[in-house]
């Protein structure tokens, strides 16, 4: 290296000519080879497409090989002449030549026949004819031209990008060398040359930056145009295929659209992922475009592109045509992106709220009570479960039915029950679908209640059976037990067979039918059952007390100040519950005591009190006399009611059946239900046909001679609680009115009722009739109970509420179901109402413990009493050791063997 006197390098600088780094983008002209195979004027695309077009076009001729130089030279003695080049194929001259040859075809008969044969073959093999064949060849030619052109453009673009990047690398190497020289000059204290070198470095950086910006701009435009070109090409190919084939074939564009739809619908995160990719792609392309038209670095351009996407108003500060055009394009894409984002967010929020509204979300609970199905008993059932959970501070009840969640919540709100801290969660679903069962955490529920549907009994029980099958098929298993409400006693065996040890059944019609019979024979028993079955007062509890082991049951009876023992769960018999055991039974290790108490934590055994036993005033068995009973209405379990009455009533009793079922069909229905009329011992059947809400039909009956009248919810209207109760209430009023008018002592009793009612009051007259005979009405709607309780003209059995109480009690403790089954069975123990003269004398002062021990001589357990001056009975009375004066008009509630 030589330096001039000024310290500057005198050798020619390699950077003097900038064209050495960036040559002009012109095509380099190269001379043709000495022996060209094709004329020079033929383009590459023409040489590639020429044999293909001659082969496929129907009116094209096979290409002739170009004459060799030797042949041309031999034909003339002079210098070799230059061959005349043919027109390039694909140009307008080539097209004119082909058309001209097509018009001159008749001059050559041999070629004409060959062309005609080809055209006939094309007409036979395609439905488009001659024009379709020509157009097919044209499409193929255009398709090849598009493919070749696209390949050439992509190759040229790739080479240009590669060349720019290689030049960029060379610039980087030169910069590194200049930097080394710069430090070398500094070390030699040669400062005048530094400015020149820095300017050169700046020029090199500018040139390199400009090259990168051009490349970035080309890349962004290319990437942006690729989707448009691809879509156009797909559309073109789809149209070409649709014209090529006659059969109905799905086009490529439809297939692509279908795949996109499947991807977006099947994958849950496809839409947000697609939106994210589109946003990143827009930011990247916009950053490259800004980098190509501005002087900023790539990082700043990417950040500026993001600001344009996020806020379309940021592009207002752009200056220059290029930056403004790029910023407007990015802002427009950002508006589309954010519009789609808002749509996705709005759809997601709407879908979530819609899922919550329709009850499709999952319930994440444990130890909750699950109710499957919907019926009129749901309100009473929720009320009882809420009362049971009150001692625990509340609980969770989940209701799943094939109804809309909003409708269920509105209906539950109309029930107006006191939740007492219990939350009710509704979900819409089918208990027959395992996915819906998992949605309500069925495997973690402590009790599952399956309600019977309103309508046909067999269909309801069949659905309950399928529900039990679904529950037993849960893979995780069930933590709690299943309580199934059955409509027909005959279907109970099948459900227990399927469910096994997990299932407890409550046959609603069987329970209500037996309860109505007991209440008809013993007025006032319905109120006692309401107190025992419900959780508001006293109910059954089973618990083990080790301190009572070795004690006789007679001593256990007076060991609980706040409870009344009434049975033992014997561990040696596999947990069998024995009601009213012998006094000499000694409690063994593992035995549990069945009591009636207010709550499970409200009682405990205490020290034995000193109780005077005393003696019974008289020891006799209450004689059973023949009775006359009327049944108004028809139930599907009529044969079970008749069998129970035959077991309870004394011989020579009469059972009158008054309903709209024809008399010739009744016997057939009873026999189909399993009743053998020849085996009836104590009763005889009397059939009467008529409508119970028509007065003249009722007047044909001896209503004043019946000991008890049972008004049943007729099978024809039992699906509607309001309609059934209206019919029962109308029948009750008509019967009471007819009885009051037939009473011989109507006028003599009127003076005794003037204190409460005016002379001739219809309620007063009906109350006179109620003293003569007992009427039990089956009520379905709890609101009807208030009317009957105020009028005091009839006793009633609130069937839906009692069944709900039984379901709630069995759901809380499945062992209670065995107790209820025995109390309602034909044999064993039952609740009875006894007169006070069986246990005490007039005016005698006794404690409740003393009455309990006296009743044990009759093998009975006294659980409560009702004073003559009181309207309701007292179950599990407090202060059992205190003495009080009793009256012979008082009655006691006992658990005794069925007579």
């Amino acid at each position: 290296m030589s330096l001039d006197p000024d310290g500057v390098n005198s050798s020619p600088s390699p950077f003097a000519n900038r064209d050495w780094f960036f040559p002009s983008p012109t095509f380099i002209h190269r001379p043709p080879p000495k022996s060209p195979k094709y004329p020079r004027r033929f383009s590459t695309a023409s040489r590639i497409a020429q044999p293909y077009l001659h082969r496929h076009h129907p009116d094209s001729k096979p290409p002739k090989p170009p004459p060799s130089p030797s042949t041309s030279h031999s034909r003339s003695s002079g210098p070799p002449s230059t061959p005349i080049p043919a027109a390039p194929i694909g140009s307008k001259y080539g097209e004119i030549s082909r058309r001209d040859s097509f018009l001159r075809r008749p001059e050559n008969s041999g070629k004409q026949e060959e062309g005609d044969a080809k055209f006939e073959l094309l007409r036979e093999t395609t439905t488009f004819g001659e024009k379709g064949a020509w157009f097919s060849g044209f499409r193929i030619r255009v398709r090849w031209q598009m493919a070749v052109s696209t390949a050439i453009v992509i190759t040229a673009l790739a080479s240009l990008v590669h060349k720019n990047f290689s030049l960029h690398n060379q610039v980087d190497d030169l910069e590194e060398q200049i930097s080394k020289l710069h430090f070398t000059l500094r070390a030699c204290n040669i400062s005048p040359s530094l400015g020149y070198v820095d300017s050169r470095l700046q020029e090199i950086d500018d040139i390199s930056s400009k090259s990168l910006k051009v490349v970035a701009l080309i890349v962004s435009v290319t990437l942006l145009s690729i989707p448009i070109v691809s879509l156009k090409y797909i559309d073109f190919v789809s149209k070409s295929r649709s014209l090529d084939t006659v059969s109905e074939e799905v086009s490529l564009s439809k297939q692509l659209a279908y795949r996109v739809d499947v991807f977006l619908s099947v994958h849950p995160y496809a839409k947000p992922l697609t939106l994210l990719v589109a946003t990143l792609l827009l930011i990247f392309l916009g950053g490259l475009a800004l980098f190509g038209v501005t002087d900023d670095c790539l990082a700043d351009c990417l950040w500026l592109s993001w600001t344009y996407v996020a806020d379309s108003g940021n592009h207002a500060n752009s200056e220059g045509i290029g930056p403004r055009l790029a910023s407007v394009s990015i802002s427009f894409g950002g508006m589309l992106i954010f519009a789609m984002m808002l749509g996705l967010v709005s759809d997601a929020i709407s879908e979530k709220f819609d899922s919550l509204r329709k009850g499709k979300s999952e319930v994440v609970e444990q130890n909750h009570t699950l109710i499957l199905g919907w019926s009129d008993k749901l309100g009473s059932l929720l009320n009882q479960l809420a009362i049971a959970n009150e001692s625990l501070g509340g609980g969770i009840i989940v209701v799943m039915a094939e109804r809309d969640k909003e409708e269920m919540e509105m209906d539950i709100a109309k029930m107006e029950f006191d939740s007492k801290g219990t939350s009710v969660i509704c979900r819409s679903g089918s208990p027959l679908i395992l996915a819906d069962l998992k949605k309500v955490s069925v495997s973690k529920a402590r009790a599952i209640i399956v309600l019977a549907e309103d309508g046909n009994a067999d269909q309801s029980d069949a659905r309950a059976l399928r529900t039990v099958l679904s529950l037993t098929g849960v893979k995780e298993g069930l933590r709690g037990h299943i309580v199934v409400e059955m409509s027909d006693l005959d279907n109970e065996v099948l459900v227990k067979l399927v469910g096994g040890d997990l299932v407890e059944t409550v046959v609603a019609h069987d329970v209500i039918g037996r309860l109505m019979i007991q209440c008809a024979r013993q007025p006032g028993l319905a109120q006692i059952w309401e107190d025992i079955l419900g959780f508001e007062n006293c109910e059954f509890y089973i618990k083990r007390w080790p301190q009572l082991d070795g004690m006789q049951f007679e001593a256990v009876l007076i060991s609980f100040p706040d409870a009344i023992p009434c049975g033992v769960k014997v561990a040696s018999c596999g947990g069998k519950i024995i009601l009213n055991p012998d006094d000499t039974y000694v409690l063994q290790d593992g035995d549990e005591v069945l009591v009636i108490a207010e709550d499970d934590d409200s009682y405990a055994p205490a020290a034995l009190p000193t109780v005077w036993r005393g003696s019974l005033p008289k020891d006799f068995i209450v004689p059973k006399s023949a009775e006359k009973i009327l049944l108004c209405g028809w139930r599907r379990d009529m044969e079970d009611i008749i069998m129970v009455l035959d077991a309870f009533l004394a011989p020579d009793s009469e059972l009158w059946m008054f309903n709209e079922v024809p008399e010739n069909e009744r016997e057939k229905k009873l026999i189909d239900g399993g009743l053998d009329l020849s085996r009836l011992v104590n009763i005889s059947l009397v059939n009467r046909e008529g409508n119970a809400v028509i007065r003249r039909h009722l007047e044909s009956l001896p209503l004043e001679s019946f000991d008890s009248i049972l008004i049943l919810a007729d099978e024809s209207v039992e699906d509607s609680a309001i309609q059934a109760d209206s019919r029962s209430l109308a029948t009750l009023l008509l019967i009471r009115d007819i009885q009051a008018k037939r009473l011989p002592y109507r006028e003599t009793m009127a003076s005794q009722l003037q204190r409460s009612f005016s002379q001739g009051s219809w309620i007063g007259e009906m109350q006179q009739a109620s003293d003569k005979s007992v009427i039990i009405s089956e009520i379905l709607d709890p609101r009807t109970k208030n009317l009957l309780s105020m009028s005091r003209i009839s006793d009633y059995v609130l069937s839906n509420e009692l069944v709900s109480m039984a379901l709630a009690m069995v759901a809380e403790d499945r062992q209670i179901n065995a107790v209820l089954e025995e109390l309602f069975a034909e044999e064993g123990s039952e609740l009875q109402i006894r007169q006070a003269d069986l246990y005490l004398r007039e005016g005698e002062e006794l404690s409740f413990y003393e009455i309990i021990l006296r009743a044990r001589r009759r093998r009975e357990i006294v659980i409560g009493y009702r004073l003559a001056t009181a309207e309701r009975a007292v179950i599990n009375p407090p202060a059992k050791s205190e003495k009080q004066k009793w009256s012979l008009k008082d009655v006691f509630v006992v658990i005794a063997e069925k007579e």
Side-chain angles (χ1 to χ4, degrees):
M1 178 184 300
S2 60
L3 301 174
D4 58 2
D6 296 332
V8 181
N9 187 5
S10 61
S11 61
S13 174
F15 306 106
N17 186 10
R18 297 182 183 179
D19 292 338
W20 185 83
F21 290 96
F22 300 99
S24 176
T26 58
F27 295 98
I28 301 175
H29 179 74
R30 294 181 182 179
K34 295 181 180 181
S35 299
K37 188 175 181 181
Y38 294 100
R40 231 177 353 177
R41 285 178 293 178
F42 277 34
S43 63
T44 305
S46 301
R47 292 199 302 272
I48 295 174
Q50 183 178 8
Y52 182 86
L53 294 177
H54 277 288
R55 184 171 64 253
H56 290 276
H57 202 279
D59 54 351
S60 61
K61 298 179 181 180
K64 295 181 180 180
S68 61
S70 59
T71 307
S72 302
H73 183 71
S74 62
R75 288 185 180 180
S76 61
S77 58
S81 60
T82 304
I84 299 174
I89 297 177
S91 65
K92 61 180 180 178
Y93 303 103
E95 295 292 337
I96 296 174
S97 300
R98 284 194 297 271
R99 294 193 188 100
D100 184 61
S101 63
F102 179 77
L103 294 175
R104 291 196 303 267
R105 284 171 59 188
E107 297 178 1
N108 193 340
S109 60
K111 295 181 179 181
Q112 176 68 29
E113 294 176 358
E114 182 181 358
D116 292 342
K118 291 181 180 180
F119 275 106
E120 290 297 331
L121 180 60
L122 287 175
R123 290 191 187 98
E124 294 175 358
T125 55
T126 182
T127 58
F128 299 105
E130 182 179 5
K131 294 182 180 180
W134 182 88
F135 187 69
S136 176
F138 177 74
R139 285 199 314 274
I140 294 173
R141 182 189 63 195
V142 173
R143 188 183 303 174
W144 273 97
Q145 289 179 356
M146 288 181 62
V148 170
S149 302
T150 304
I152 292 173
V153 170
I154 293 175
T155 304
L157 181 63
S159 62
L160 180 62
V161 172
H162 176 71
K163 188 173 183 179
N164 277 276
F165 275 104
S166 63
L167 291 176
H168 180 68
N169 293 332
Q170 293 178 8
V171 170
D172 290 340
D173 294 339
L174 291 174
E175 285 180 354
E176 185 177 358
Q177 295 178 7
I178 292 174
S179 177
K180 291 179 181 179
L181 294 175
H182 179 74
F183 285 112
T184 304
L185 292 175
R186 271 189 184 176
C188 297
N189 294 324
I190 303 176
S191 58
S193 63
L194 295 180
Y196 176 76
V197 174
D198 289 341
S199 62
R200 286 297 182 181
L201 287 175
Q202 184 65 30
E203 290 179 1
I204 294 173
D205 290 340
D206 294 341
I207 294 171
S208 176
S209 177
K210 289 181 180 180
S211 63
L212 287 178
K213 291 180 182 297
V214 172
V215 172
L217 188 60
I218 294 174
V219 169
S220 63
V221 174
T222 303
L223 292 178
L224 188 63
S225 61
I226 284 177
I228 301 175
V229 174
S230 301
L231 292 176
K232 291 293 184 181
Y233 182 72
I234 290 173
D235 185 64
F236 175 76
V237 172
S238 300
K239 292 180 179 179
S240 301
R241 289 183 178 180
S242 63
L243 293 176
D244 288 340
T245 59
V246 180
S247 60
E248 295 183 0
E249 192 173 319
V250 181
S251 62
L252 183 61
S253 59
K254 290 185 178 180
Q255 292 182 5
L256 182 62
Y258 170 72
R259 297 300 177 186
V260 173
D261 292 342
V262 170
F263 174 74
L264 295 178
S265 60
V266 171
H267 300 282
Y269 300 104
K271 294 180 181 179
L273 183 61
T274 304
L275 183 63
L276 177 62
V277 171
T279 304
L280 295 177
L281 186 62
L282 177 62
I283 294 173
F284 177 72
L285 293 178
L288 288 179
L290 289 175
F291 180 70
V293 297
T294 60
D295 297 333
D296 297 334
C297 63
L298 182 61
D300 293 340
C301 291
L302 291 175
W303 175 255
L304 192 61
S305 176
W306 158 247
T307 59
Y308 291 160
V309 172
D311 187 3
S312 59
N314 288 336
H315 70 277
N317 299 327
S318 301
E319 296 180 357
I321 298 177
R324 287 179 178 177
L325 183 61
S327 61
V328 168
S329 301
I330 299 172
S331 299
F332 182 73
M335 288 188 290
L336 294 179
I337 291 293
F338 272 85
M340 290 188 291
M341 182 181 297
L342 289 177
L344 288 179
V345 172
S346 177
D347 291 343
I349 296 175
S350 300
E351 185 177 355
K352 183 62 178 177
F353 277 101
D354 187 65
S355 175
L356 294 175
R357 181 177 60 85
K358 293 184 177 181
K360 296 180 179 180
S361 59
E362 185 177 356
V363 175
V364 184
E365 295 289 347
Q366 293 184 357
N367 296 325
H368 58 284
T369 302
L370 176 60
I371 301 176
L372 302 177
W374 188 277
S375 68
D376 296 335
K377 306 178 184 66
L378 184 63
S380 303
L381 180 59
L382 292 177
N383 188 29
Q384 294 300 321
L385 292 175
I387 297 173
N389 294 330
E390 184 179 8
S391 59
L392 303 176
I396 302 295
I397 302 175
V398 181
V399 181
M400 187 178 75
E402 297 183 36
R403 300 184 60 194
D404 188 68
K405 177 177 177 288
E406 292 182 342
E407 294 180 1
M408 291 191 287
E409 291 177 346
M410 291 176 60
D411 291 343
I412 291 176
K414 294 177 182 178
M415 296 174 184
E416 298 179 354
F417 73 96
D418 189 3
S419 62
K420 301 182 185 299
T422 298
S423 301
V424 180
I425 302 174
C426 296
R427 287 294 180 267
S428 179
S430 174
L432 305 179
I433 302 175
L434 290 177
D436 291 343
L437 291 176
K438 293 180 181 179
K439 183 174 62 177
V440 292
S441 300
V442 65
S443 59
K444 300 178 182 179
R446 64 186 179 94
I448 304 168
I449 302 175
V450 181
L451 295 179
E453 291 185 344
D454 299 330
N456 186 271
D458 293 332
Q459 294 180 359
S460 176
D461 291 346
R463 184 173 181 82
L465 177 63
R466 293 196 299 269
T467 303
V468 173
L469 284 173
S470 300
L471 292 173
T472 54
V474 177
K475 295 181 180 180
E476 295 82 1
L478 300 179
R479 179 184 301 179
H481 59 283
I482 307 171
V483 183
V484 184
E485 179 193 359
M486 303 295 298
S487 300
D488 197 338
L489 185 63
D490 298 333
N491 301 323
E492 182 183 16
V493 179
L494 186 59
V495 173
K496 286 186 175 180
L497 179 64
V498 172
D501 297 334
L502 291 174
V503 173
E504 297 290 340
T505 58
V506 176
V507 185
H509 272 70
D510 182 63
V511 170
I512 298 304
R514 296 174 185 270
L515 184 58
M516 290 189 67
I517 294 173
Q518 293 183 11
C519 295
R521 297 176 59 245
Q522 303 181 71
L525 194 60
Q527 177 259 319
I528 297 171
W529 270 113
E530 287 184 18
D531 293 341
I532 293 178
L533 289 178
F535 287 98
E536 294 184 2
N537 298 307
C538 295
E539 53 270 0
F540 291 104
Y541 293 101
I542 300 178
K543 188 180 293 186
R544 165 154 175 76
W545 303 99
Q547 59 268 38
L548 299 180
D549 292 346
M551 187 180 295
Q552 292 186 351
F553 184 74
E554 185 180 18
V556 174
L557 284 173
I558 57 176
S559 299
F560 293 90
D562 300 315
I564 298 178
C566 52
V568 177
K569 181 181 179 182
V570 183
S572 59
C573 296
K576 181 180 179 181
I577 298 177
I578 300 177
L579 281 174
N580 191 15
D582 295 334
D583 292 340
T584 57
Y585 178 80
V586 179
L587 268 68
Q588 304 295 327
D589 185 18
D591 289 351
E592 301 179 25
V593 181
L594 172 68
V595 302
I596 295 178
E598 185 176 358
D599 207 344
D600 57 349
D601 56 353
S602 63
Y603 69 99
L608 290 177
T610 302
V611 181
W612 178 65
R613 184 185 301 272
S615 60
L616 293 174
K618 52 184 178 180
D619 188 9
F620 63 90
I621 299 176
V622 179
K624 296 175 64 176
S625 58
E627 299 182 36
K628 193 175 182 180
I629 298 179
L630 172 65
L631 293 180
C632 291
W634 184 271
R635 289 163 55 104
R636 55 177 172 267
D637 59 344
M638 186 66 73
E639 61 277 358
D640 296 329
I641 295 177
I642 295 175
M643 294 175 65
V644 173
L645 284 173
D646 184 64
F648 284 165
L649 297 180
D652 300 329
S653 297
E654 292 182 1
L655 177 60
W656 290 55
M657 292 190 298
F658 179 74
N659 49 67
E660 296 183 82
V661 179
E663 296 183 15
N664 55 357
E665 295 182 7
R666 295 181 190 179
E667 184 176 353
K668 181 180 178 181
K669 286 188 175 184
L670 293 176
I671 294 175
D672 292 341
L675 177 64
D676 189 359
L677 299 178
S678 62
R679 299 183 61 182
L680 298 179
V681 178
N682 297 325
I683 62 174
S684 59
L685 298 181
V686 180
N687 292 306
R688 290 290 186 272
E689 184 178 349
N691 193 339
V693 295
I694 298 178
R695 185 182 183 91
R696 67 176 184 275
H697 292 177
L698 291 172
E699 287 178 344
S700 63
L701 301 174
L703 297 177
E704 69 280 358
S705 62
F706 292 107
D707 298 297
S708 6
I709 300 175
L710 278 69
I711 303 176
L712 307 175
D714 198 86
E715 185 179 13
S716 60
V717 294
E718 65 179 355
D719 295 342
S720 176
I722 298 177
Q723 187 177 358
D725 288 354
S726 300
R727 186 181 178 89
S728 300
L729 187 59
T731 303
L732 170 63
L733 295 176
L734 289 174
I735 291 176
R736 282 305 189 197
D737 184 58
I738 294 173
Q739 285 180 341
K741 288 181 170 50
R742 293 180 181 180
L743 287 177
Y745 53 94
R746 169 186 174 186
E747 295 181 359
T748 59
M749 294 294 294
S751 60
Q752 301 178 7
L753 301 172
Q754 290 180 356
R755 298 178 182 178
S756 302
F757 303 98
S758 61
Q759 185 70 23
S761 172
W762 63 274
I763 295 183
E765 295 176 356
M766 291 183 181
Q767 286 186 352
Q768 294 180 50
S770 64
D771 297 335
K772 183 66 176 176
S773 63
V774 177
I775 297 182
I776 302 296
S777 303
E778 181 181 2
I779 301 301
L780 303 180
D781 194 343
R783 292 172 292 185
T784 313
K785 176 180 68 173
N786 301 328
L787 180 61
L788 292 178
S789 60
M790 288 187 299
S791 62
R792 302 177 187 175
I793 59 176
S794 170
D795 207 346
Y796 59 89
V797 172
L798 197 56
S799 61
N800 284 349
E801 189 168 357
L802 289 177
V803 172
S804 301
M805 292 176 179
L807 291 172
M809 185 171 289
V810 177
E812 291 296 319
D813 189 358
R814 62 180 304 180
Q815 304 175 101
I816 305 302
N817 194 28
V819 180
L820 298 179
E821 287 180 353
E822 182 173 351
L823 291 176
F824 288 119
E826 299 178 7
E827 299 179 353
S829 301
E830 67 174 349
L831 288 180
Q832 296 182 8
I833 297 177
R834 299 295 194 192
Q835 296 294 326
D837 57 357
L838 295 176
Y839 313 105
L840 52 85
R841 299 171 182 87
E842 180 68 32
E844 192 173 7
E845 292 187 2
L846 298 174
S847 66
F848 191 76
Y849 276 146
E850 293 173 347
I851 296 176
I852 289 178
L853 293 182
R854 287 190 180 186
R856 289 306 297 169
R857 294 188 176 183
R858 297 176 53 85
R859 187 67 187 281
E860 298 172 353
I861 299 177
V862 181
I863 64 173
Y865 61 85
R866 186 182 67 196
L867 300 178
T869 57
E871 296 181 359
R872 299 183 65 89
V874 179
I875 306 299
N876 183 26
K880 298 179 178 61
S881 300
E882 296 181 2
K883 295 182 179 292
Q884 63 177 347
K885 185 177 291 187
W886 303 91
S887 172
L888 295 181
K889 294 182 180 180
D890 299 336
V891 294
F892 291 94
V893 182
V894 301
I895 297 178
E897 294 288 336
K898 293 183 176 67
E899 300 174 357

